[in-house]
């Protein structure tokens, strides 16, 4: 996993003022079970898109369920940039 992507997501999470542990043990946990509701998720995504200067496609947004999904989607967009 890209340190750049993880760092950007961590910063975005901090800016939403929620506590989410981005550790290997939580990578496959559902975002909702980690305390991330849909509004927080969109804030995290939008802030991370700005930090990385990418935009996630709508079809990716519809399928984001876990931290790993989120990280993978951003990594995919960075590679295709």
């Amino acid at each position: 996993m890209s340190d750049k992507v993880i760092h950007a997501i961590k910063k975005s999470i901090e800016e939403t003022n929620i506590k989410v542990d981005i550790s290997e043990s939580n990578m496959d946990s559902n975002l909702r079970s980690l305390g991330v509701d849909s509004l927080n998720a969109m804030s995290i995504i939008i802030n991370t898109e700005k930090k990385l200067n990418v935009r996630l496609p709508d079809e990716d947004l519809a399928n984001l369920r876990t931290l790993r999904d989120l990280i993978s989607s951003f990594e995919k967009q960075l590679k295709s940039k």
Side-chain angles (χ1 to χ4, degrees), residues 38-39 42 48 62-63 79:
S38 57
L39 184 58
M42 285 311 301
T48 305
N63 295 313
K79 285 179 186 170

Side-chain angles (χ1 to χ4, degrees), residues 48-70:
T48 305
E49 286 176 333
K50 289 177 184 175
K51 289 176 186 349
L52 297 174
N53 197 30
V54 295
R55 177 135 165 55
L56 295 184
D58 290 341
E59 58 271 9
D60 282 8
L61 294 175
N63 295 313
L64 295 177
R65 303 282 184 262
T66 66
L67 285 173
R68 189 177 310 279
D69 294 341
L70 186 61

Side-chain angles (χ1 to χ4, degrees), residues 10-37:
K10 281 183 180 180
K11 290 303 254 180
S12 296
I13 288 171
E14 288 172 11
E15 291 168 7
T16 62
N17 294 318
I18 60 171
K19 304 287 186 239
V20 177
D21 177 25
I22 298 185
S23 63
E24 188 60 38
S25 63
N26 286 335
M27 284 298 144
D28 295 314
S29 297
N30 185 290
L31 292 172
R32 188 167 294 280
S33 72
L34 295 173
V36 179
D37 64 21

